[in-house]
């Protein structure tokens, strides 16, 4: 009997030890026995970037659709060798939506003997499909030596020694002036071309810059600025030809639609003859000799002032679409009108040099100022001209007086601004400085 009691006691002690051991090793709540499994179906963030973890059965197309991007953008961002082969658990960097390759800068490359699409894709570290799609005009898909193609590429400006490469504003509106500006650690030689016209480059104070204008009738959408830069330590993969050390770029300039009114103007019988096509064309030819001049260095240093001051109301806005005497809308207003009585003093809005001061048939008594760097302003329909050609003026100097000479229905000032041949809205220059 005593042996049985002792055996039961030892068994009880063993059970108590087991219970004690289980109490120390098992969690109090069995439902929390294991931490929740990581949800790899949700994207994670690394240093602000979105990273997707590939799941079983996922395709690159489905991932692109989920993040509102493109397969080409995913391939480029992750340098994928084979977009059709994804591994479960593979981490993919999701590019920002703004990195649309359709609006990516382009390198202008001259095809060399022996070049192939695959070879060029390897050289420029780009997907072959993306390279071919960037050249839709090459319908036959063949490469010929000397042919120019475009390669989507984003230069590493820091590595090239360029401190600044900027378009301001980045997406100009119809009828707006813009500027290209570059600054580097060493002297650069830059040429640029926009909408078929060469830009007037200005070098000084550690940077190179130029103005360009977006035509008021330019279709909204993507346009391109061609830029050639000499003086860079250009790596082989950014060369248009093996021995060419000039960086040949096409830079995207998206053009936004402006907001323009439509006016139907009725001219007095005595002035209807000023609409004669020959008269209009002859006067335009005369002025088109002046507008492109860009030899003068920039004369302005700050914002422009109004040529009439703030007391006078602006009337017909820049860019307004116009018809005359019941005819179709065939033109637009190339400047900004101010309503003011005859004799009101007109002043220079910024320093410049007088390059025209005479009576014109359509524009009446007219003055044109050259502000340098290809920027000019014009003042039409004056009753009096108070300056002479070659005279230097500063902001606030008197140019003349308001009138209604030429093609005008009443006393007012027409203030016009041109970058090269392109008319641009002068009022924006009252609030900001370019470049």
């Amino acid at each position: 009997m005593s042996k049985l009691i002792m055996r039961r006691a030892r068994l009880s002690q063993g059970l108590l030890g087991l219970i004690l051991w289980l109490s120390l090793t098992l969690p109090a709540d069995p439902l929390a026995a294991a931490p929740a499994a990581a949800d790899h179906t949700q994207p994670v963030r690394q240093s602000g970037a979105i990273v997707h973890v590939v799941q079983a059965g996922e395709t690159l197309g489905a991932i692109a659709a989920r993040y509102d991007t493109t397969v080409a953008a995913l391939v480029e961002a992750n340098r994928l060798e084979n977009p059709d082969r994804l591994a479960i658990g593979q981490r993919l960097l999701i590019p920002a939506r703004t990195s649309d390759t359709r609006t990516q800068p382009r390198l202008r490359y001259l095809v060399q003997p022996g070049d192939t699409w695959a070879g060029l894709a390897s050289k420029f570290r780009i997907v072959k499909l993306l390279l071919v799609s960037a050249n839709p005009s090459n319908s036959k898909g063949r490469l010929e030596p000397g042919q120019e193609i475009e390669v989507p590429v984003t230069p590493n400006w820091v590595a090239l020694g360029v401190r600044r490469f900027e378009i301001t504003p980045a997406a100009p509106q119809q009828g707006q002036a813009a500027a290209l500006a570059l600054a580097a650690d060493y002297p650069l030689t830059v040429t640029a071309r926009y909408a078929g016209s060469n830009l007037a480059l200005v070098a000084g104070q550690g940077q190179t810059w130029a103005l360009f204008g977006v035509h008021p009738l330019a279709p909204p959408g993507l346009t391109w600025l061609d830029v050639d830069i000499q003086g860079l330590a250009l790596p082989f993969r950014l060369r248009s030809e093996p021995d060419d050390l000039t960086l040949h770029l096409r830079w995207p300039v998206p053009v936004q639609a402006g907001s323009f009114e439509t006016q139907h103007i009725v001219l007095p019988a005595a002035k209807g003859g000023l609409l004669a096509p020959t008269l209009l064309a002859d006067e335009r030819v005369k002025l088109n000799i002046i507008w492109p001049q860009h030899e003068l260095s920039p004369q302005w240093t700050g914002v422009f002032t109004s040529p009439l001051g703030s007391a006078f109301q602006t009337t017909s806005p820049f860019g307004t679409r116009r018809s005359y005497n019941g005819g179709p809308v065939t033109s637009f207003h190339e400047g900004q009108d101010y309503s003011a009585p005859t004799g009101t003093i007109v002043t220079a809005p910024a320093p410049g040099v007088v390059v025209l001061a005479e009576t014109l048939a359509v524009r009446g008594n007219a003055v044109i100022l050259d502000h340098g760097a290809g920027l000019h302003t014009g003042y039409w329909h004056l009753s009096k001209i108070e300056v002479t050609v070659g005279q230097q003026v500063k902001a606030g100097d008197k140019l003349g007086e308001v009138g209604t000479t030429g093609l005008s229905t009443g006393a007012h000032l027409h203030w016009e601004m041109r970058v090269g041949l392109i008319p641009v809205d002068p009022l924006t220059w009252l609030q900001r400085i370019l470049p």
Side-chain angles (χ1 to χ4, degrees):
M1 185 71 176
S2 60
K3 291 182 178 180
L4 178 62
I5 294 173
M6 291 179 64
R7 190 180 303 116
R8 287 180 176 176
R10 287 197 294 270
L11 180 62
S12 297
Q13 290 176 352
L15 288 173
L16 287 172
L18 177 62
I19 293 171
L20 179 60
W21 178 80
L22 289 173
S23 68
L24 294 174
T25 57
L26 291 178
D29 182 359
L31 296 179
D39 184 2
H40 294 298
T41 64
Q42 298 300 318
V44 297
R45 290 187 175 271
Q46 286 185 349
S47 302
I50 297 176
V51 176
H52 177 83
V53 181
V54 177
Q55 304 300 299
E58 281 190 323
T59 65
L60 207 59
I63 297 171
R66 175 177 177 177
Y67 294 100
D68 192 20
T69 185
T70 65
V71 170
L74 285 172
V75 170
E76 182 183 21
N78 294 277
R79 302 295 184 193
L80 298 179
E81 293 286 339
N82 189 343
D84 296 325
R85 297 186 62 180
L86 295 178
I88 297 175
Q90 182 177 353
R91 302 170 75 84
L92 294 178
L93 177 66
I94 306 301
R97 293 181 184 180
T98 54
S99 60
D100 187 344
T101 54
R102 291 170 299 178
T103 61
Q104 192 176 0
R106 308 289 179 89
L107 176 72
R108 305 197 309 275
Y109 176 80
L110 285 180
V111 176
Q112 304 297 304
D115 276 344
T116 64
W117 288 114
L120 292 177
S122 176
K123 171 185 175 179
F124 292 110
R125 303 174 191 170
I126 190 172
V127 178
K128 176 184 171 182
L129 177 63
L130 186 61
L131 179 60
V132 174
S133 64
N135 295 275
S137 60
N138 191 332
S139 57
K140 296 181 180 179
R142 292 198 303 265
L143 293 175
E144 301 290 343
Q147 173 188 356
E148 184 175 282
I149 64 171
E150 296 181 2
V151 182
V153 61
T154 301
N156 184 336
W157 293 119
V158 175
L160 292 172
V162 177
R163 299 190 307 275
R164 181 188 184 194
F165 184 101
E166 187 176 11
I167 306 291
T168 309
Q173 292 184 358
Q174 294 169 305
Q176 195 171 29
L180 162 69
L182 298 91
D185 297 333
Y186 29 73
L188 299 177
T189 300
V190 182
T191 59
R193 187 173 179 85
Y194 181 77
S197 297
N198 293 324
L199 275 57
L201 275 297
V202 178
Q205 297 183 338
Q207 68 173 352
T208 300
W209 61 271
L211 302 176
F212 64 95
V214 177
H215 198 281
L217 299 180
L222 189 62
T223 63
W224 296 90
L225 174 69
D226 291 323
V227 185
D228 295 330
I229 309 174
Q230 292 178 310
L232 299 172
L234 205 59
F236 182 74
R237 64 178 294 265
L238 291 180
R239 297 183 187 182
S240 295
E241 296 180 79
D243 298 326
D244 188 356
L245 297 180
T246 300
L247 180 61
H248 303 280
L249 278 182
R250 303 199 77 206
W251 199 265
V253 181
V255 172
Q256 301 182 76
S259 179
F260 302 112
E261 302 174 2
T262 299
Q263 288 182 326
H264 302 278
I265 299 173
V266 178
L267 290 173
K271 294 196 174 185
L274 295 177
L275 294 175
T278 302
L279 190 63
L280 293 170
D282 289 347
E283 191 164 301
R284 189 170 293 277
V285 168
K286 181 183 181 71
L287 297 184
N288 282 353
I289 296 174
I290 296 174
W291 300 130
Q293 296 175 8
H294 58 266
E295 291 76 15
L296 187 66
S297 61
Q299 303 294 295
W300 75 94
T301 55
V303 295
F304 282 40
T305 59
S306 171
L308 286 184
S310 59
F312 298 96
Q313 180 182 1
T314 57
T315 52
S316 179
F318 168 84
T320 300
R321 279 47 174 158
R322 284 181 165 181
S323 75
Y324 289 92
N325 292 343
V329 177
T330 57
S331 64
F332 65 94
H333 193 211
E334 298 179 343
Q336 172 65 54
D337 283 354
Y338 288 83
S339 177
T342 298
T344 302
I345 294 176
V346 177
T347 59
V353 176
V354 179
V355 291
L356 182 138
E358 62 181 81
T359 301
L360 303 174
V362 178
R363 292 160 178 79
N365 292 331
V367 170
I368 295 179
L369 297 181
D370 183 350
H371 300 283
L375 181 67
H376 293 79
T377 53
Y379 310 82
W380 313 150
H381 312 303
L382 303 174
S383 59
K384 291 182 181 179
I385 296 174
E386 301 284 352
V387 289
T388 58
V389 172
Q391 180 178 340
Q392 290 188 328
V393 297
K394 60 183 184 298
D397 285 353
K398 183 177 180 181
L399 304 177
E401 297 178 3
V402 170
T404 185
T405 55
L407 185 59
S408 169
T409 59
H412 75 286
L413 171 68
H414 172 105
W415 181 31
E416 189 163 319
M417 177 176 282
R418 299 257 178 167
V419 176
L421 291 170
I422 306 301
V424 296
D425 186 355
L427 291 187
T428 61
W429 287 71
L430 302 180
Q431 291 131 7
R432 65 180 178 127
I433 304 173
L434 285 177

